[in-house]
Amino acid sequence: MAGPIAPVPLQSVTGGGPLAVIVTFLLTWLFYAFTLHLAATFFIGDVPSQKAATAAALPAVVSILLQQYGVAGGAFGVGPSLLAGVTIVATLLADGIAISTVYRLRARSTAPLVALHFGFAAVLGVALANVFGVL
């Protein structure tokens, strides 16, 4: 009988090169688009999913770039928890800009939608992390 199979990190399969970055971006974009569409449907009503796909690209790029070069790189000589907070705040700001532009909302309407999107993404992210054994 063979023992349990050890998990293989994605970085070792792809080498951590451009393919890993592209796949990570696409998965992040899809995740943000899905959760934004859920939040927008809950907050605004019936909206086309293409708007969520368009708006989700900017926060996906911001979060991946800050995670890749900020937290992992130890930028500015500060701890990873502070840089994680900066990444979250910058991603929320990018999300707000994208949502305001794509959905044509004012700041007063954009802020609750961004908060709702963050909540949906956090809950679904924790649930998926538990399913895949990351947490």
Side-chain angles (χ1 to χ4, degrees), residues 65-100:
L65 286 176
L66 286 175
Q67 287 176 20
Q68 179 73 22
Y69 299 108
V71 175
F76 310 115
V78 296
S81 59
L82 178 62
L83 286 172
V86 169
T87 301
I88 291 170
V89 170
T91 302
L92 289 174
L93 286 173
D95 198 25
I97 292 167
I99 287 172
S100 177

Side-chain angles (χ1 to χ4, degrees), residues 3-98:
I5 299 173
V8 177
L10 180 62
Q11 291 84 1
S12 65
V13 175
T14 61
L19 179 62
V21 173
I22 291 169
V23 169
T24 303
F25 168 73
L26 291 175
L27 289 174
T28 305
W29 186 16
L30 178 67
F31 178 77
Y32 284 165
F34 178 72
T35 54
L36 177 57
H37 182 65
L38 289 176
T41 301
F42 182 79
F43 185 72
I44 298 172
D46 192 24
V47 291
S49 59
Q50 291 85 357
K51 286 188 176 190
T54 303
L58 182 62
V61 167
V62 168
S63 66
I64 288 173
L65 286 176
L66 286 175
Q67 287 176 20
Q68 179 73 22
Y69 299 108
V71 175
F76 310 115
V78 296
S81 59
L82 178 62
L83 286 172
V86 169
T87 301
I88 291 170
V89 170
T91 302
L92 289 174
L93 286 173
D95 198 25
I97 292 167

